[in-house]
Amino acid sequence: MSGVEANDRLETVSGADADDSLETVGGADADDRFEMVGPDYVKRESAVKVATFRDWFKGKPIIACLVFTLILMGCLFAEFLINHDPSQFYLTNLNQPPNSEFYFGTDSMGRDIYSIIWQGGRASLLIGVLSTIILTVVGVIYGCLSGSTGSFGDNVMMRAVELVQSIPTLLMILLIISLMATQNVLSISFVIGITAWFALARIVRSEVRQIRNSEYVLASRCMGSSFLFRMRKHLIPNFVSAIMFVVISSVATNIGMESTLSFLGLGLPVEVLSWGSMLALADRALLLNTWWVIVIPGAFLVVTLLCLTQMGNFFRERTNRRPSNI
Amino acid sequence: MKVVCLNLNGSAGGFFSFIYLGDSVVKMQSIWTKLGKRLILFVFMIFLLSVAVFYVARLTPGDPLQSFFGDAMETMSTEQLDAARERLGLTGPIYLQYVRWIAKVCKGDFGLSLRYKKPVSQVVGPLLGNTLILGVTAYALVFLLAIGLALICVRYEDRFIDKLICRLGTTAFYVPAFWLGVVLVLLFSVNLRWLPSSGAYGLGKASDLPDRFKHLIMPLAVMILSHLWYYGYMIRNKLLDEVRRDYVLLARTKGLGKTEVLVKHCFRNVLPTIVSVMAISIPHVLSGTYVAETVFNYPGIGLLAVNSAKYHDYNLLMVMVLITGALVILAGMSAQFINEIIDPRMRELDEAGIKIADA
């Protein structure tokens, strides 16, 4: 290693192609204890950061995702899991506590709870997702429209929402349901979705009201942007953090609502299998003091709802990372 | 004298008047005109609501006569049935039925309950008190606890106590209310035999307060647990956004304590949102009484509503929908009203006469 070579390198470092030479300096034979710095020095970090598993998992609701995936898979591939016909009445085995043949016991009609849980979960999850899609689309569009029209239109739209919202959700659902013939998965998710968007619309509307007079929205208006463009480019990005949690957690709320309706005898009939229609037998189970009929399907329901909430929480926390001023 | 611009046309018009008056006089006038306008709006909305519910109720399948007479209907002659229809106001086109109904309502006669064969006011009256006890207590406790918990959470953000409250609150909120109720009954009534499982009071103990309280514990617990964190979380979210504002930093650098800034400044700024949320929440909490009353068989209007809808008892249902509707619209209006007093930003547009949205 001669002095001439070192001088050459130094020249190239300060020259145009600093990138290459720095690597050779650090990599080949320069002393590791020193780092070359010059007037154009930029601190470099290795582009490929080796992420450990621990880093990647940090802050993510991994347990919730895992448990939810398990339940979801179990419901999707129910045929491989069940060991009894879920809609069959085993009349010789009424109210059996959990045992080796009926893993979670049987209810007062002699049905195998283990099999119904997997088969019925499909209906419950589907209802949750379908109704949330309906709710979000209707709520966001209505809220944006109401928030950005003139105050007369806004007043009318919000009074209309207040009017419908002044009927408790359950009573409203009840009225709609009694207009329909028999309930199935599609109709009940429609009913739940169409009666649950008011709160979302009001949140969206109040957020829009706060930002609609901002300069950038005004500028966009002056440049002749259409309503849909403004909604997509300026309004939704501004309030998406405010509603993300609401949207994801309403999947959970809607699943809960379905089970509540079925429990009250207003939702799916007992022969259509879902977690809610299983719990409709809870009254009888109370008289017979058969805890497994109440606790096991309820536990599945609650665990699913909690997993969904955890995932919703993740979205909320990511939007709130700025340090607190307090 | 202070210069105040006032938009006399309220929110609906495009004409602006500029009045020079003392501050207090303008405030009084604007409040009274707004109140008058809202009262007219209120009557109109109640009218719309009653029309909507009347039509929906009449459209539902199921013959109301069936629920009135039950099996006796099959033995009745056509003339008798027609006479009964006439008596119950079920003849003619729907709008005529509605006009007759509204004329009677104006005289204070809400008609007969089809199921209980009694005037509606007699059926609803005694149950209203029970529901009010349950609903108002739950409502007040839910919001007091929610605000308290939210303040604690924000004061100790990301510390252990915040995380604990969040975790517990979320769990409690997402446990379905009816299931929580059933499990409580299973635990405390069926197995431990500590608390009664149903009713509002024991047999012949209507005025026995400790007994009533005992019957209230579980429905209250269910209602509070299933509503508390919904609102607590909302308030916490809003407060968390608020403590990231610049004025908080300023107040802190001036030497104010954390708790003082939080309670006196941030909480005050969030108050309009809380008031709006409280107004929105009334039907939500009322829905809660439906479930709680059904699970615990608590004799209130929630249970009555579920049953009367099942039995197509329209007259009863109408009155109940109207009661709740009136309550909620009133609350919504007063919330808007209170907000305009608390938060001057809300009426900025009206007063300055700048209506960018109308452009």
Side-chain angles (χ1 to χ4, degrees), chain A residues 316-317 320-326, chain B residues 149-163 166 236-237 239-244 258 262:
Chain A
R316 195 203 78 84
E317 275 159 11
N320 218 344
R321 284 282 161 82
R322 217 145 45 91
S324 170
N325 280 343
I326 204 161
Chain B
L149 286 180
L151 284 175
I152 292 174
C153 280
V154 176
R155 175 65 180 75
Y156 302 103
E157 192 192 342
D158 279 338
R159 304 250 203 98
F160 174 72
I161 187 155
D162 176 33
K163 284 176 181 164
C166 284
R236 178 181 173 269
N237 264 358
L239 275 173
L240 282 181
D241 289 344
E242 200 64 29
V243 294
R244 281 163 175 73
K258 285 184 178 184
L262 181 64

Side-chain angles (χ1 to χ4, degrees), chain A:
Chain A
M1 178 71 60
S2 69
V4 183
E5 272 180 59
N7 273 344
D8 281 345
R9 265 192 219 113
L10 265 178
E11 270 171 33
T12 47
V13 165
S14 52
D17 47 354
D19 285 19
D20 299 348
S21 53
L22 251 183
E23 269 171 42
T24 48
V25 168
D29 39 28
D31 197 328
D32 279 345
R33 288 173 298 173
F34 298 105
E35 198 172 352
M36 292 293 188
V37 289
D40 301 326
Y41 177 72
V42 184
K43 192 170 194 293
R44 266 157 237 277
E45 286 169 354
S46 96
V48 189
K49 195 180 172 188
V50 184
T52 58
F53 272 116
R54 190 184 288 254
D55 284 341
W56 195 77
F57 283 141
K58 205 173 179 202
K60 291 182 180 165
I62 218 69
I63 299 173
C65 281
L66 219 69
V67 174
F68 183 71
T69 315
L70 268 180
I71 293 177
L72 188 71
M73 285 297 160
C75 294
L76 286 179
F77 300 106
E79 278 80 4
F80 302 103
L81 280 171
I82 56 178
N83 57 353
H84 288 88
D85 182 359
S87 47
Q88 179 79 41
F89 305 115
Y90 296 94
L91 293 175
T92 49
N93 291 301
L94 297 179
N95 300 315
Q96 290 287 315
N99 56 38
S100 56
E101 197 196 346
F102 301 100
Y103 297 140
F104 293 157
T106 57
D107 60 17
S108 56
M109 290 156 79
R111 299 181 303 175
D112 177 35
I113 292 177
Y114 173 77
S115 307
I116 309 181
I117 280 177
W118 298 119
Q119 195 84 28
R122 288 179 184 181
S124 290
L125 293 173
L126 188 65
I127 289 170
V129 172
L130 276 182
S131 49
T132 303
I133 292 173
I134 297 173
L135 168 167
T136 312
V137 171
V138 179
V140 165
I141 292 179
Y142 193 95
C144 283
L145 264 177
S146 172
S148 45
T149 49
S151 47
F152 179 70
D154 179 42
N155 260 337
V156 171
M157 286 177 90
M158 275 300 118
R159 286 302 106 79
V161 164
E162 269 173 30
L163 193 69
V164 188
Q165 224 189 358
S166 64
I167 311 171
T169 322
L170 266 178
L171 189 52
M172 193 156 46
I173 288 177
L174 211 99
L175 282 171
I176 298 176
I177 278 179
S178 57
L179 278 174
M180 298 172 152
T182 45
Q183 291 298 314
N184 57 40
V185 172
L186 276 181
S187 73
I188 204 164
S189 29
F190 176 75
V191 170
I192 293 174
I194 214 74
T195 50
W197 57 268
F198 308 111
L200 182 71
R202 284 175 86 141
I203 294 170
V204 169
R205 179 252 178 197
S206 69
E207 297 282 334
V208 171
R209 292 283 288 189
Q210 279 173 21
I211 54 176
R212 69 170 190 172
N213 291 334
S214 314
E215 281 79 3
Y216 53 90
V217 180
L218 212 57
S220 179
R221 278 182 87 105
C222 292
M223 284 185 252
S225 62
S226 70
F227 169 72
L228 282 177
F229 177 83
R230 250 177 299 131
M231 185 169 100
R232 200 158 41 89
K233 282 283 171 185
H234 299 303
L235 302 182
I236 291 181
N238 264 308
F239 63 68
V240 78
S241 67
I243 67 165
M244 202 60 196
F245 171 74
V246 179
V247 168
I248 291 188
S249 61
S250 54
V251 178
T253 319
N254 291 340
I255 294 176
M257 180 55 93
E258 182 269 325
S259 59
T260 304
L261 286 176
S262 301
F263 172 78
L264 294 177
L266 307 163
L268 295 172
V270 179
E271 61 267 17
V272 179
L273 300 174
S274 80
W275 291 337
S277 65
M278 284 172 86
L279 288 166
L281 297 172
D283 271 343
R284 234 183 289 179
L286 273 182
L287 292 176
L288 297 161
N289 200 4
T290 52
W291 59 267
W292 54 92
V293 180
I294 298 168
V295 174
I296 293 177
F300 265 81
L301 185 65
V302 170
V303 167
T304 310
L305 301 189
L306 288 181
C307 290
L308 281 166
T309 323
Q310 281 294 306
M311 294 189 226
N313 256 344
F314 172 63
F315 279 95
R316 195 203 78 84
E317 275 159 11
R318 222 174 24 172
T319 58
N320 218 344
R321 284 282 161 82
R322 217 145 45 91
S324 170
N325 280 343
I326 204 161

Side-chain angles (χ1 to χ4, degrees), chain B residues 1-6 17-26 29:
Chain B
M1 287 287 261
K2 201 179 170 187
V3 180
V4 178
C5 354
L6 172 76
S17 330
F18 296 87
I19 303 174
Y20 297 82
L21 280 173
D23 201 14
S24 56
V25 181
V26 170
Q29 192 187 0

